[in-house]
Amino acid sequence: MFPSFRLALLSSAIVSQAWVAPAMAQPSEQQLSAADAATNSSNDIIVTAQKREQRLQDVPIPVTVLSASALTEGNKVNVKDFYTSVPGLSILPGNNGGSSGTSLAIRGLTTGGGNPTVGTVVDDVPFGSSTNLGGGGPVPEFDPSELAGIEVLRGPQGTLYGANSLGGLLKYVSVDQSTDALRGRIEVGGTSVKSGALGYSVRAALNVPVSETLAIRVSGVTRRDPGYIDNVQTGEQNVNRTNASGGRLSVLWRPSSDFSLKLNATLQRDKILGFPYTDSNLGDLQQSRLRGTGASKLSTQAYSALAHGKVGAFDLTSITGYSTYKYSGFRDFTFAFGPATQATFGVGGDRLANPADTKKFSQELRLSVPIIDGIDGLIGAFYTHEKSVLGTDLRAVDPATGADVAQVLQQPIRTNYDEIAAFGNLTFQITDKFNIQTGGRLSRIKQHYETVYNGPYNTIFLNRPDPFTPPQEDTKDNTFTYSVTPQYKFSQDAMVYARVASGYRPGGPNSNNSTDLLPSYAPDKTQNYELGFKGSVLDRKLSFDASIYYIEWKDIQLAVIDPVTRAQLFVNGSRAKSQGVELSMTAHPVQGLTISGWIAYNDAKLKRALPVGLAGTAVGGAGDRLPVSSRYSGKASVNDEFGLSDGLTGFAGADVSYVGKRLGNFQPAGVARQVFSGYAQLDLHAGLKQDMWTASVFLNNVTDKRGVLPSGTGDPIAVYVIQPRTIGINLSRTF
């Protein structure tokens, strides 16, 4: 039975977490750090953060790896569910929340506007629009069952990953096929949310070795995430429930040890049945929204072909990718136009749609080769073309019935984005223990913008003809990024590194409702200085991963309102810095028991006041904190696996996450910034394993906290509330 000594350890660890939540972390979601990689050489974690397979312990970059299977078992199926597992990661849910526009920030690098600051790749293929006018690069919310894991790289990654990685990178890694044996898995689960609805999930996967050289893997999922928010205006309950379904097909052909070809296709559809935010001026878990608003649909597709060949000492890799992202849905926009709509059309309601459609193609070629003894090289070329349509559909609505009275504005924004880049890395092996990695990337970006305004908005608000077509605009940018990383290994289990690296996000044209050509805005850049230490002691029973960093951010992209045209523009101005410390530790005091944790301190603030002069310009002075991120955050975890009888194994665990106080976006003079209080969340899980069967239960947000995140909608009373107390069960069988 369960040993009393282990019970005492587990109990004391759980109790201690209540006091040290900012200082510890969480293997219940299997956050696998360099510390975990060092615990057992037979269980080394292999990552591709530097576009080659390496032990996580050996990568001179701060990387967090999340196990997809553990995320699934704990019902952490969206980024907003597991973002607290990653040091320095913060999120801003999008216009309709969930998977329809969530944006990321790492180490506090965001002003709440402009192009994305965190890049996203799926199997090394960039996903989503690179620009705000193309939809802003929303994070794909693939069900974790379609993945092997998620790698999060912290700090600028511009040399290897290019645009939009000035803060870091989110990397989805799919499950590999196998020619070894027929394998499969099926899982069913159910969830119940306090004061909300019921949810369910069904997942299945099958790996088929067709021959010694060919394998096929197919998987699928259908899921309902329960709702828990009521719309008091319409009387609808649990309006934020979500239906998701998807699948993945992958093929591996390996005719020899020197050549392989992998083909992947991943599809997912999400349907959110109502607005997933609460109103801060109403009761608990309530909103008031126009009938016919809040629902949205999302379709995500990602395709890739990865070919790898080896000729002697030369390794050549080709990665071809194509992805699509489609979003549609109306939201209540009465807060912005209500009075004007009432005066003009005789009704006081507005609903707004911002449909998005992005198609993206990319091609990357990489050649890895030893140059001379002690010097290895990696050279590559990259090209991407994306075509996006981001729409605006504003309608005057009768609040009593939800019926449309007039289409006020219909405006499609069409953009093209082309990037071509050359990059290279050199590794100088000075001694057996000391090496220096250097890298550089030269990128050239071209963008095209055009739009047309249709509807009475033109004559009533802009004093323009209907329809009205502003001038088209084309922009060009050239950007160079680099990195230098000395690394010294004390032993196989301990190393120290220093890193100097730069990152950027592209500039581009501004959306225009003027007869004149508006000025474009330029790329902004980050410069990162970092010192890191990874290692393990006590025969790998105690492991650690620490880093200290300082980031300079120049020519920040800022949103302002033009006083003449009333259009939102982006300009470059001001400077900021982000500095901090991240520390994670993992202990294995006895066989099967793991206690681990991390703590992060981040100080991200302006170094120079925001520029003034345009109406609606946000106000910020030197020393003011950047939006969204917290100064202190952390997570603590304890997990145990123990034998109960012959063939029967039990497991149990708990984790506590902590997110500190955050501030909202910078605001115009006289308007206070939003303040979001800090919160802690406790999650528990337990289960049994016997042979090929696993049964588990989880209880998330045990204390039923109302942790609040900014909504990203522009609505001053709309906030995102973390999911209330949720209980669930999963049953799975492998074969």
Side-chain angles (χ1 to χ4, degrees):
M1 294 299 291
F2 200 93
S4 59
F5 170 66
R6 177 165 291 173
L7 178 60
L9 269 175
L10 182 61
S11 301
S12 63
I14 293 175
V15 171
S16 68
Q17 289 179 68
W19 297 98
V20 295
M24 300 292 287
Q26 74 312 326
S28 71
E29 291 174 14
Q30 298 293 309
Q31 179 205 314
L32 304 174
S33 66
D36 300 299
T39 59
N40 190 326
S41 59
S42 64
N43 292 320
D44 284 337
I45 301 164
I46 304 301
V47 298
T48 57
Q50 296 191 115
K51 297 198 172 182
R52 64 181 187 273
E53 291 188 349
Q54 294 176 281
R55 286 195 321 157
L56 180 59
Q57 171 71 17
D58 297 330
V59 177
I61 297 173
V63 182
T64 299
V65 181
L66 303 177
S67 162
S69 60
L71 292 176
T72 301
E73 290 173 0
N75 199 43
K76 310 289 187 178
V77 295
N78 295 312
V79 175
K80 62 181 181 295
D81 299 326
F82 62 74
Y83 85 97
T84 55
S85 298
V86 182
L89 180 63
S90 54
I91 68 170
L92 183 69
N95 286 342
N96 268 30
S99 54
S100 54
T102 299
S103 60
L104 305 177
I106 294 178
R107 292 178 170 175
L109 296 178
T110 181
T111 58
N115 295 328
T117 62
V118 175
T120 303
V121 297
V122 181
D123 290 326
D124 271 344
V125 175
F127 180 90
S129 174
S130 303
T131 67
N132 183 275
L133 288 180
V139 179
E141 299 274 18
F142 293 122
D143 189 89
S145 65
E146 309 295 324
L147 305 169
I150 302 172
E151 300 176 14
V152 183
L153 286 60
R154 306 192 296 278
Q157 308 296 327
T159 302
L160 286 179
Y161 293 98
N164 300 118
S165 59
L166 64 80
L169 185 83
L170 183 72
K171 187 172 188 177
Y172 291 89
V173 182
S174 62
V175 181
D176 269 344
Q177 314 86 337
S178 173
T179 58
D180 294 340
L182 178 70
R183 295 189 181 93
R185 186 175 191 273
I186 187 167
E187 176 194 289
V188 295
T191 56
S192 175
V193 178
K194 179 186 176 184
S195 304
L198 299 177
Y200 65 84
S201 62
V202 180
R203 299 176 173 94
L206 182 66
N207 181 89
V208 181
V210 179
S211 67
E212 293 182 354
T213 61
L214 182 66
I216 298 174
R217 188 180 189 279
V218 61
S219 61
V221 59
T222 181
R223 190 184 81 230
R224 167 168 285 189
D225 300 335
Y228 48 87
I229 298 173
D230 298 336
N231 188 342
V232 297
Q233 184 171 157
T234 64
E236 298 170 290
Q237 295 183 323
N238 307 321
V239 297
N240 61 318
R241 62 190 182 277
T242 300
N243 295 327
S245 60
R248 181 171 177 268
L249 175 66
S250 56
V251 179
L252 168 66
W253 180 48
R254 187 184 289 119
S256 72
S257 60
D258 293 330
F259 179 79
S260 65
L261 174 65
K262 296 180 182 179
L263 304 175
N264 297 308
T266 304
L267 300 86
Q268 183 162 311
R269 290 186 173 89
D270 295 66
K271 183 178 181 180
I272 303 175
L273 302 182
F275 195 61
Y277 300 107
T278 64
D279 291 349
S280 58
N281 61 344
L282 295 178
D284 187 35
L285 302 177
Q286 291 183 338
Q287 62 175 235
S288 179
R289 290 293 180 269
L290 290 173
R291 188 176 301 278
T293 65
S296 61
K297 295 180 181 179
L298 174 70
S299 173
T300 303
Q301 302 180 35
Y303 306 91
S304 65
L306 190 154
H308 177 78
K310 186 173 183 180
V311 180
F314 293 81
D315 281 294
L316 179 64
T317 301
S318 169
I319 302 176
T320 306
Y322 179 76
S323 63
T324 66
Y325 171 87
K326 294 183 178 181
Y327 164 77
S328 62
F330 279 95
R331 59 190 171 111
D332 192 336
F333 212 59
T334 305
F335 73 93
F337 278 93
T341 301
Q342 180 69 52
T344 306
F345 299 101
V347 293
D350 295 275
R351 61 176 183 155
L352 175 68
N354 294 118
D357 186 349
T358 294
K359 298 178 176 64
K360 189 181 187 91
F361 168 82
S362 65
Q363 174 65 53
E364 180 170 305
L365 293 173
R366 298 197 303 262
L367 178 64
S368 177
V369 58
I371 299 176
I372 59 175
D373 286 345
I375 303 179
D376 293 326
L378 172 70
I379 58 174
F382 173 80
Y383 170 75
T384 186
H385 170 76
E386 65 184 60
K387 187 174 184 179
S388 299
V389 180
L390 180 64
T392 297
D393 185 354
L394 178 64
R395 302 184 184 185
V397 177
D398 184 348
T401 63
D404 291 347
V405 173
Q407 186 176 55
V408 182
L409 173 64
Q410 195 275 331
Q411 180 202 8
I413 297 175
R414 295 181 172 86
T415 57
N416 290 342
Y417 176 96
D418 291 271
E419 179 181 357
I420 186 169
F423 60 91
N425 271 28
L426 290 176
T427 301
F428 300 88
Q429 194 69 47
I430 310 300
T431 70
D432 290 343
K433 295 185 176 181
F434 179 59
N435 68 67
I436 301 176
Q437 299 180 25
T438 63
R441 184 186 189 101
L442 180 63
S443 302
R444 181 175 178 82
I445 297 171
K446 295 182 179 180
Q447 297 183 61
H448 173 78
Y449 158 85
E450 62 182 67
T451 190
V452 59
Y453 288 77
N454 298 284
Y457 179 90
N458 294 335
T459 55
I460 297 172
F461 298 104
L462 296 181
N463 196 26
R464 309 280 190 225
D466 182 23
F468 169 63
T469 303
Q472 299 181 14
E473 186 171 2
D474 295 278
T475 63
K476 296 180 181 179
D477 288 323
N478 294 313
T479 304
F480 178 75
T481 55
Y482 65 91
S483 64
V484 179
T485 310
Q487 178 184 16
Y488 183 82
K489 291 188 175 182
F490 300 100
S491 67
Q492 182 182 2
D493 296 329
M495 67 96 153
V496 63
Y497 66 89
R499 186 168 185 259
V500 179
S502 61
Y504 78 100
R505 60 174 169 173
N510 270 301
S511 181
N512 191 359
N513 60 15
S514 170
T515 56
D516 300 321
L517 191 65
L518 295 181
S520 60
Y521 59 102
D524 51 359
K525 301 179 181 180
T526 50
Q527 182 88 11
N528 180 75
Y529 305 91
E530 187 155 1
L531 182 66
F533 185 34
K534 302 180 180 183
S536 60
V537 294
L538 302 178
D539 195 23
R540 298 189 174 186
K541 285 184 170 59
L542 178 64
S543 305
F544 50 86
D545 183 353
S547 60
I548 181 170
Y549 61 88
Y550 178 86
I551 303 174
E552 283 273 359
W553 190 9
K554 301 179 180 179
D555 302 322
I556 300 173
Q557 295 173 10
L558 303 167
V560 299
I561 303 297
D562 186 280
V564 177
T565 66
R566 306 305 300 168
Q568 177 179 270
L569 307 177
F570 288 99
V571 299
N572 296 94
S574 189
R575 299 177 66 171
K577 69 176 182 181
S578 174
Q579 57 190 1
V581 180
E582 297 160 351
L583 172 65
S584 64
M585 301 185 71
T586 301
H588 303 272
V590 294
Q591 183 68 32
L593 179 63
T594 301
I595 303 172
S596 62
W598 61 260
I599 183 172
Y601 167 78
N602 172 253
D603 181 26
K605 58 188 178 184
L606 293 173
K607 290 186 67 177
R608 183 182 300 167
L610 299 180
V612 296
L614 292 177
T617 300
V619 175
D624 287 355
R625 275 194 63 78
L626 298 181
V628 179
S629 64
S630 58
R631 183 168 276 120
Y632 296 98
S633 59
K635 196 153 189 177
S637 221
V638 57
N639 284 270
D640 196 15
E641 187 169 314
F642 44 90
L644 294 173
S645 62
D646 290 342
L648 181 63
T649 302
F651 58 90
D655 37 74
V656 177
S657 60
Y658 174 79
V659 178
K661 185 178 75 171
R662 295 135 293 144
L663 298 178
N665 290 341
F666 293 109
Q667 298 293 334
V671 180
R673 296 175 68 180
Q674 288 180 295
V675 177
F676 303 97
S677 300
Y679 68 93
Q681 179 175 330
L682 171 64
D683 299 334
L684 305 173
H685 71 278
L688 299 171
K689 297 179 182 179
Q690 185 169 38
D691 298 327
M692 295 177 289
W693 290 93
T694 300
S696 62
V697 295
F698 60 85
L699 182 61
N700 293 339
N701 195 3
V702 175
T703 57
D704 200 30
K705 291 288 187 179
R706 294 292 184 265
V708 174
L709 303 177
S711 70
T713 65
D715 188 337
I717 64 171
V719 295
Y720 178 83
V721 177
I722 64 172
Q723 189 161 304
R725 183 186 300 122
T726 302
I727 188 170
I729 184 170
N730 291 302
L731 179 65
S732 65
R733 187 181 190 278
T734 59
F735 57 88

